Amino acid sequence: MTDARPLGADEATFIEAARSGDTARFALVTERHRRELQVHCYRMLANYEDAQDMTQETFLRAWNKRESFKGHAALRTWLYRIATNACLDFLEKRNDRTPVPSGLPDPGSEVLYLQPYPDRMLPADPQESVVARETIELAFIVAVQHLPLRQRAVFILRDVLGWPASKVADALELTVASVTSALQRARVTMREQLPDRRLDWRSPATRELSKVERGVVKSYIDAHERNDLDGLMALLRNDLRFVMLPDPGTSSTGAEDAVDGWVSGGLFRPGYDDWRCIATTVNRMPAAALYLRTPDYPEYRLLNIAVLHIADGKIAELTGFDATDKPWLGLPPTL
């Protein structure tokens, strides 16, 4: 795999570190790529913890293969190639990393292994394609999980990162014709999975929350802390889609069904009605961290994180995640 480029400082330093066997120098050169590689692994895997593991596996493989790097490709390109294949190897060994039917009347599915990605772990000064909001939001990550593995890798490398077909073919040991065919099929699936979303991943993307999104999150938190079910209902679209992960069978469609499910599950009832919430962001999406104080515990304990997709000033999708004992979220465990 070659790039039409001269040997850069990164590559020269890496080669020197590889030849010397200096692990500290090697780590210094490769570590600067960790966060963007972790985002790449997350898109492939939809699971933050798995992405952490595969990023570490990428660096281990890079160390073991260090003598094979000659500087013909950019170091970043070489590491992405290793990371992509590490993810493919991981997925090929797992039988629990595919979407499952949601059980709802519509043909939707649940990605039970989906985890949120903390915004604080995104690259501080990334290339736009690495963390464009539209390609890190939950709906996009879920849609990608519906692609067969090779199509998934081709789609991410071609349409998200903007690699030319020849470079993708080299990285995945495919022909250019196979890459082109896989990309065409992947785009069809993505259009089916995201019919109402912008699909031009390479045009300028939204980065920050809008004023409306911030206002809806504030209202959502206020209603939660007041146990105001009518106020919550007013924020939800009638066709709300709700899922609580990683629990199977929790999907529901419709605001009333979702709220009824929360209440029947015990929430908002005496003893389970003392809430405190924190506004946050994950996957470049508005979210609320929900803390609950119960009669048998004096502090507010982190329970869930609610990730909101807001459309036309209302919550169209609400994805809840069990947040207990998840220190990587960067949220305080108690208040």
Side-chain angles (χ1 to χ4, degrees), residues 27-92:
L28 189 64
V29 177
T30 55
E31 184 65 25
R32 70 190 66 175
H33 299 283
R34 178 181 294 275
R35 289 197 175 191
E36 63 174 290
L37 289 171
Q38 192 164 287
V39 171
H40 177 61
C41 292
Y42 176 73
R43 284 198 183 98
M44 288 287 296
L45 305 172
N47 184 282
Y48 181 79
E49 291 169 309
D50 290 343
Q52 287 181 305
D53 290 344
M54 288 304 101
T55 303
Q56 198 59 38
E57 172 68 13
T58 296
F59 290 141
L60 177 61
R61 291 188 183 193
W63 173 255
N64 291 335
K65 297 178 180 179
R66 64 191 183 279
E67 297 296 340
S68 70
F69 182 77
K70 306 300 182 184
H72 300 145
L75 176 60
R76 180 174 179 268
T77 299
W78 189 68
L79 291 172
Y80 266 96
R81 174 178 183 160
I82 294 173
T84 302
N85 284 287
C87 290
L88 291 173
D89 291 345
F90 170 84
L91 290 168
E92 286 170 354

Side-chain angles (χ1 to χ4, degrees), residues 142-267:
V142 168
V144 168
Q145 300 306 297
H146 290 79
L147 299 175
L149 298 188
R150 297 290 162 178
Q151 286 185 33
R152 188 182 309 179
V154 166
F155 175 77
I156 292 171
L157 294 173
R158 285 283 285 122
D159 272 12
V160 177
L161 297 181
W163 285 22
S166 57
K167 187 188 291 189
V168 175
D170 198 4
L172 300 177
E173 298 183 347
L174 300 171
T175 64
V176 171
S178 296
V179 166
T180 301
S181 177
L183 181 61
Q184 290 172 343
R185 295 196 299 273
R187 285 172 174 170
V188 170
T189 301
M190 292 298 287
R191 281 192 290 269
E192 292 171 349
Q193 293 295 321
L194 298 169
D196 301 323
R197 305 293 179 93
R198 183 173 72 81
L199 300 179
D200 181 10
W201 314 120
R202 297 191 206 177
S203 65
T206 305
R207 293 288 294 275
E208 306 298 334
L209 298 188
S210 68
K211 182 178 179 180
V212 170
E213 287 175 315
R214 292 193 298 269
V216 171
V217 173
K218 183 179 183 302
S219 297
Y220 177 84
I221 285 174
D222 290 345
H224 240 285
E225 293 185 342
R226 296 195 314 269
N227 286 281
D228 181 1
L229 293 180
D230 290 336
L232 279 174
M233 281 289 295
L235 295 170
L236 307 177
R237 274 191 9 180
N238 290 334
D239 60 348
L240 171 81
R241 187 172 183 89
F242 167 75
V243 64
M244 183 69 209
L245 297 171
D247 300 327
T250 58
S251 292
S252 62
T253 302
E256 288 189 11
D257 286 348
V259 174
D260 287 347
W262 301 340
V263 174
S264 64
L267 300 181

Side-chain angles (χ1 to χ4, degrees), residues 77-134:
T77 299
W78 189 68
L79 291 172
Y80 266 96
R81 174 178 183 160
I82 294 173
T84 302
N85 284 287
C87 290
L88 291 173
D89 291 345
F90 170 84
L91 290 168
E92 286 170 354
K93 295 175 183 176
R94 301 293 294 258
N95 58 11
D96 62 343
R97 288 296 185 267
T98 55
V100 298
S102 66
L104 297 175
D106 64 49
S109 59
E110 295 178 339
V111 178
L112 298 179
Y113 51 92
L114 177 68
Q115 290 180 340
Y117 199 101
D119 280 12
R120 67 184 181 86
M121 295 305 297
L122 293 171
D125 187 23
Q127 295 188 22
E128 180 63 37
S129 62
V130 174
V131 289
R133 180 172 173 182
E134 286 79 353

